[in-house]
Amino acid sequence: MMKRIIILAALLLVAAACGQRRFERVIKTDSRYDIVCLDGKCGVFDTKADSLVTKCDYDALSFLKRADEDSVAVVLFSCRKDDMEGMLGVLEQNNEIMQVMFPSHPDED
């Protein structure tokens, strides 16, 4: 009887995990970070840590490159959020992020 309960519980756990939709779309990159999309917004996902590095709140993300200098690796993305465009960098050592954003359409005089 106990064996049947354990098997049933395991089957229910597997069925529940299969039914979850984690992301609408995953865009693979040439690095350990993927771009993931949920509800029309994008974020950066660390495949090694199996976790989000950023929230899914960017309107667009594009992988640019992975730069490795003096044993420091940074993965760079171009990004757009609201009316801003810029670059997002993720430090592979600890997933720290740095972003630089500028207005998409600066006022010209």
Side-chain angles (χ1 to χ4, degrees):
M1 178 68 171
M2 185 60 138
K3 187 176 182 179
R4 287 184 182 171
I5 292 173
I6 292 172
I7 291 172
L8 180 61
L11 287 174
L12 288 172
L13 182 64
V14 169
C18 290
Q20 291 179 354
R21 190 178 80 183
R22 196 168 185 182
F23 302 109
E24 293 168 353
R25 191 172 77 181
V26 176
I27 302 165
K28 300 288 184 188
T29 69
D30 294 335
S31 73
R32 79 181 218 194
Y33 300 100
D34 289 340
I35 298 169
V36 294
C37 303
L38 182 64
D39 298 328
K41 299 289 185 172
C42 302
V44 177
F45 184 82
D46 183 345
T47 59
K48 186 176 177 183
D50 193 34
S51 64
L52 280 169
V53 176
T54 68
K55 293 180 181 179
C56 290
D57 60 355
Y58 290 92
D59 298 321
L61 278 172
S62 298
F63 173 76
L64 294 174
K65 69 178 187 173
R66 179 182 183 273
D68 196 348
E69 180 98 18
D70 296 328
S71 71
V72 175
V74 178
V75 179
L76 299 171
F77 298 88
S78 67
C79 57
R80 189 175 72 236
K81 182 177 178 181
D82 302 323
D83 289 332
M84 307 287 279
E85 293 182 9
M87 290 183 70
L88 171 72
V90 180
L91 185 62
E92 281 189 357
Q93 180 181 0
N94 56 12
N95 281 349
E96 278 190 42
I97 61 170
M98 183 181 97
Q99 74 177 13
V100 177
M101 303 292 282
F102 299 98
S104 295
H105 304 286
D107 295 331
E108 295 183 21
D109 295 324

